[in-house]
């Protein structure tokens, strides 16, 4: 399951809590588009803002409506006890894999992060994806630490934050990591602006935040890259440059993706948990025009 | 209550969860030492690692055993809904004040942080301390934002991360903030190595992590500063320099303070929630020698 396009849907909220019908509709869109896997409760799915019970419910809904498409579930939490409880919930829900970021309040040491993955992988019966996202965890993995963690049982993939925005440098970066991890562990790129670049550089998966809301456009990029048509994948990605630009200006993809889903009526507004706010004002107007221009739907 | 020494105890854990007898003993030590207030469930009290129910229980234990010493309770959480629930719990427990840091998973904007404090202060019936700790929240307050938030109802104090380690620069720093906030809002220094410097520079409170475990030594520093004896307070603080050094080397005070409490038998070992680990090996040996040399108890 750790290849192609892994699409990360929002977990939309409304006044009553989780907006379950809207979440199910997002899952059904991904199934209809034929994504390769679904990443429920990633950063885009606001896992860090939900209770253990809410996360269990979302995991079950995702698997129930995925029509056999493999579902990976985010189990990150600052406390090992809670990560273990979340892993148990995800497995009971029928997740095909789990994803774990070393989320922190107190900045973690390498030893503490290794200990976390050691404790969690020991308790799993499904594969695990190591989620490397320094922007939210404030932990920076060395490639050497990735190599050590990748040797733990059940580790099957690493989600890296991005690659250099240059064809040669991106290849060098992926090859350096590849040399340090076992061959059965796949490397997945995230950072949507760099999806095409990452796939062309040898990443087996694109873990895509925007792909959870607009799967068709991201599948076109993915299929071009998988077919060895690097130029076409880069051209399709470059077409979305104004969107990548907005992500850059507004602290990542979440607040923009949420606003796009609200604008299209896929979810109620506001769909993000307070204190988070989707982009508004002038940025929201630019986004509305963009969604229209790019025929995103 | 926002003056003098505010001491922040650990919330020790053991195999069964919260080690309640050990926590009560820590509170009783603070009462016996006559600290000016107690900060339960600060960063040192591991608030970010505990469930809402655990935090309610800890808040009640703190107030019950504080023998009338005012107790401030940390209510930080990434989600506004949970902050409001924690505020309600803390007030029901009898907290004299609450303390709120803009904890984040997705890095917050100024507008989002202001919105958080607006939502929470509106719901309070006790004073609030704004907890500015960029090392754990990854949010940097401008003095102007502090000024705006300090004008919200119920805001009574600001806990700043530290002051420059220079008598003149520390005064300039405190005076700049003082000029932007209403006079009824006190300024408290944290960062234990800078407690004396901060008090001498005009901070009304020292929010002290190490003071939660070793109140006597920190009270001596506080009382000297309060009596206008700046040199004596700096001398007493300089004596603890090897401890400040260890804090610097091991990512802050928590892992060192926890190890010191373990070494003295105040709490069971390990007392921190996994994946956090107290300092061990050579650093723990240095610490044991220090605790002895400095006659900390």
């Amino acid at each position: 399951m750790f290849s192609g396009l892994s699409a990360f849907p929002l977990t939309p909220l409304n006044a009553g809590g989780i907006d379950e019908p809207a979440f199910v509709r997002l899952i059904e869109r991904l199934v209809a588009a034929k994504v390769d896997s679904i990443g429920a409760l990633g950063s885009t799915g606001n896992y860090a803002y939900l209770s253990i019970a809410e996360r269990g419910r979302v995991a079950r809904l995702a698997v129930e409506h995925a029509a056999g498409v493999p579902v990976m579930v985010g189990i990150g939490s600052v406390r090992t006890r809670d990560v273990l409880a979340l892993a148990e919930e995800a497995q009971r829900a029928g997740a095909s894999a789990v994803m774990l970021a070393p989320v922190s309040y107190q900045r973690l040491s390498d030893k503490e992060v290794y200990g976390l993955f050691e404790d969690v992988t020991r308790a799993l019966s499904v594969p695990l994806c190591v989620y490397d996202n320094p922007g939210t965890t404030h932990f920076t993995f060395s490639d050497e630490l990735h190599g050590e963690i990748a040797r733990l049982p059940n580790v099957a993939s690493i989600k890296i934050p991005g690659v250099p925005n240059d064809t040669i440098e991106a290849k060098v970066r992926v090859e350096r990591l590849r040399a340090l991890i076992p061959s059965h562990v796949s490397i997945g790129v995230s950072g949507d602006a760099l999806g095409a670049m990452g796939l062309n550089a040898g990443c087996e998966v694109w873990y895509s935040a925007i792909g959870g809301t607009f799967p068709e456009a991201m599948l076109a990029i993915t299929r071009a890259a998988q077919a060895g048509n690097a130029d076409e994948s880069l051209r399709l990605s470059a077409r979305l440059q104004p969107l990548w630009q907005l992500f850059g200006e507004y602290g990542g993809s979440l607040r923009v993706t949420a606003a796009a889903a609200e604008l299209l009526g896929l979810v109620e507004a506001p769909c993000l948990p307070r204190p988070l706010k989707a982009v508004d004002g002038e940025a929201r107007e630019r986004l509305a025009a963009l969604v229209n221009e790019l025929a995103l739907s």
Side-chain angles (χ1 to χ4, degrees), chain A:
Chain A
M1 68 172 289
F2 297 106
S3 67
L5 181 70
S6 185
F8 282 69
L10 296 160
T11 306
L13 302 179
N14 61 16
I18 309 281
D19 183 352
E20 297 192 1
F23 180 70
V24 168
R25 282 196 304 273
L26 290 173
I27 297 292
E28 288 169 347
R29 280 164 66 83
L30 301 179
V31 171
K34 300 194 167 38
V35 300
D36 298 300
S37 64
I38 293 171
L41 294 164
S43 293
T44 304
N46 279 324
Y47 74 94
Y49 297 85
L50 306 178
S51 70
I52 295 180
E54 286 172 322
R55 290 168 70 172
R57 176 71 186 145
V58 170
R60 281 190 296 281
L61 283 172
V63 174
E64 273 167 29
H65 295 270
V69 176
V71 174
M72 177 165 79
V73 172
I75 59 170
S77 176
V78 293
R79 189 163 172 189
T80 304
R81 175 193 68 177
D82 295 344
V83 177
L84 293 170
L86 289 157
E88 187 61 34
E89 276 285 304
Q91 292 176 108
R92 267 202 224 127
S96 299
V98 293
M99 182 178 79
L100 175 59
V103 192
S104 67
Y105 177 74
Q106 301 283 348
R107 199 183 288 269
L108 297 174
S109 68
D110 280 18
K111 219 160 98 177
E112 288 169 335
V113 169
Y114 184 81
L116 168 67
F117 281 93
E118 206 177 19
D119 286 345
V120 175
T121 53
R122 190 187 292 138
L124 288 178
S125 54
V126 298
L128 175 138
C129 173
V130 176
Y131 183 11
D132 177 0
N133 186 349
T136 55
T137 64
H138 311 283
F139 179 78
T140 302
F141 283 90
S142 65
D143 287 355
E144 288 66 29
L145 181 59
H146 270 313
E148 284 171 48
I149 291 174
R151 281 174 174 74
L152 289 169
N154 297 309
V155 175
S157 188
I158 302 174
K159 178 179 189 297
I160 61 174
V163 293
N165 193 14
D166 172 275
T167 306
I168 309 283
E169 284 175 37
K171 272 213 173 79
V172 170
R173 195 273 161 280
V174 174
E175 276 163 20
R176 166 155 166 75
L177 181 58
R178 171 52 62 210
L180 291 169
I181 64 171
S183 59
H184 68 272
V185 173
S186 79
I187 299 174
V189 64
S190 54
D192 283 326
L194 298 161
M197 189 62 78
L199 290 169
N200 294 333
C203 291
E204 289 96 340
V205 204
W206 179 12
Y207 293 115
S208 174
I210 189 74
T213 300
F214 302 115
E216 316 266 1
M218 311 311 143
L219 271 168
I221 294 172
T222 307
R223 297 301 177 236
Q226 287 179 310
N229 199 339
D231 287 349
E232 174 67 1
S233 72
L234 290 171
R235 192 190 63 78
L236 290 169
S237 178
R239 193 180 150 261
L240 302 175
Q241 183 57 37
L243 199 58
W244 312 148
Q245 175 73 24
L246 269 180
F247 287 5
E249 288 173 38
Y250 292 90
S253 57
L254 180 65
R255 293 170 180 88
V256 178
T257 305
E262 289 173 7
L263 284 165
L264 286 172
L266 294 172
V267 301
E268 292 179 33
C271 75
L272 291 179
R274 294 171 84 93
L276 301 182
K277 294 179 198 287
V279 295
D280 58 7
E282 183 262 345
R284 200 174 178 99
E285 283 167 35
R286 267 168 71 198
L287 177 64
L290 255 182
V291 164
N292 205 25
E293 253 169 68
L294 300 173
L296 291 170
S297 62

